[in-house]
Amino acid sequence: MSFDRSLKIAPSILSADFANFGQEIEAIEAQGCDWVHVDVMDGHFVPNLTFGPPLCKAIRKHIDTVMDVHLMIAPVDPYIDAFAEAGADILTAHLESGPHIHRTLQAIRGAGCKAGLALNPGTGVEDIDYLLDMVDLVCVMTVNPGFGGQKFIHSQIDKVKKLRAMIGDRPVHIEIDGGVTPQTAPLLVEAGADVLVAGSAVFKGGSVDNPAPYGDNMRAIRAATETLRAA
Ligand code: DX5
Ligand code: ZN
């Protein structure tokens, strides 16, 4: 995985057909996604349950791009090796998941993955100064984590701007997760984001038998950000 700040769209398979992950992933990749975002929830750190390392391992063989695993679990450390062995390229842990996020990020890189740090909407950027040199990605949650299809929280745009300034020329992605649509995407890219996770906005209107809407939906997000750049 080489680093660049070009816009990347990472569909969240939380909005895919759970009975058909392999084909859904192949469909979004054929339709032009950049990364595949995998939401792991434990029913404890967030009020929803999804899946664990065996599912990640099973879908890995259908992913040709980047497997971006978002861990909404606490604790994180006991599961890092299992997700790394399942084939995650990026493992993102929440700052709020425990008292030893520095150790967690070290362990993620130690397991051979890129390290991501996610921030809940209520968390400021003040506490991450000493973490920026040990991460490859910061994920700004623009909804409270747990569910797809929630309303975008506009106050987070200011956080993205602050974060972009803090990151400077470090090779650290700014990923946005939650409520990304053609309406919100330009604001986020303008503020400094380069990876946009989108669940409902990518999967709406399509299916494995009719995947063209997935491509249309991703192009609509991209086009919205390009209009802004051209303006
Ligand atoms: C929320 C997840 C997101 C979610 C985004 O906890 O981390 O990845 O699937 O869904 P949308 O794009 O529908 O807000
Ligand atoms: Zn996510």
Side-chain angles (χ1 to χ4, degrees), residues 12 14-15 18 37 39-51 70-73 94 120-121 141-150 177-178:
S12 163
L14 192 60
S15 293
F18 272 42
H37 186 81
D39 285 308
V40 175
M41 304 188 189
D42 67 353
H44 160 76
F45 179 68
V46 289
N48 196 5
L49 273 168
T50 55
F51 34 72
H70 179 191
L71 298 175
M72 286 163 274
I73 64 175
H94 271 259
N120 280 335
M141 294 300 306
T142 41
V143 298
N144 283 296
F147 303 95
Q150 301 183 84
D177 192 359

Side-chain angles (χ1 to χ4, degrees), residues 40-222:
V40 175
M41 304 188 189
D42 67 353
H44 160 76
F45 179 68
V46 289
N48 196 5
L49 273 168
T50 55
F51 34 72
L55 189 285
C56 290
K57 189 173 183 181
I59 63 175
R60 172 73 257 191
K61 47 184 167 296
H62 298 274
I63 299 177
D64 284 335
T65 57
V66 170
M67 188 175 186
D68 174 31
V69 178
H70 179 191
L71 298 175
M72 286 163 274
I73 64 175
V76 175
D77 296 12
Y79 303 101
I80 290 172
D81 287 345
F83 282 105
E85 280 158 23
D89 295 297
I90 304 168
L91 270 184
T92 295
H94 271 259
L95 178 68
E96 307 85 2
S97 65
H100 299 297
I101 189 69
H102 188 284
R103 175 186 291 148
T104 299
L105 294 168
Q106 277 181 324
I108 290 173
R109 281 194 168 172
C113 298
K114 300 279 185 193
L117 173 65
L119 306 175
N120 280 335
T123 301
V125 289
E126 301 76 26
D127 288 340
I128 72 167
D129 260 350
Y130 297 99
L131 302 172
L132 282 179
D133 286 321
M134 53 191 307
V135 297
D136 302 285
L137 173 152
V138 179
C139 174
V140 176
M141 294 300 306
T142 41
V143 298
N144 283 296
F147 303 95
Q150 301 183 84
K151 197 172 176 312
F152 182 80
I153 302 173
H154 277 268
S155 62
Q156 302 305 299
I157 291 169
D158 175 61
K159 189 193 289 184
V160 176
K161 287 182 187 157
K162 284 185 184 149
L163 186 59
R164 183 68 198 86
M166 285 170 74
I167 286 172
D169 55 13
R170 292 178 178 91
V172 176
H173 296 290
I174 298 180
E175 177 178 76
I176 307 297
D177 192 359
V180 170
T181 63
Q183 287 70 46
T184 57
L187 309 172
L188 295 160
V189 170
E190 188 183 29
D194 64 302
V195 184
L196 301 179
V197 174
S200 41
V202 168
F203 284 93
K204 70 168 186 199
S207 68
V208 293
D209 298 324
N210 175 32
Y214 298 165
D216 294 340
N217 293 338
M218 287 189 271
R219 277 189 292 279
I221 293 171
R222 262 185 225 287

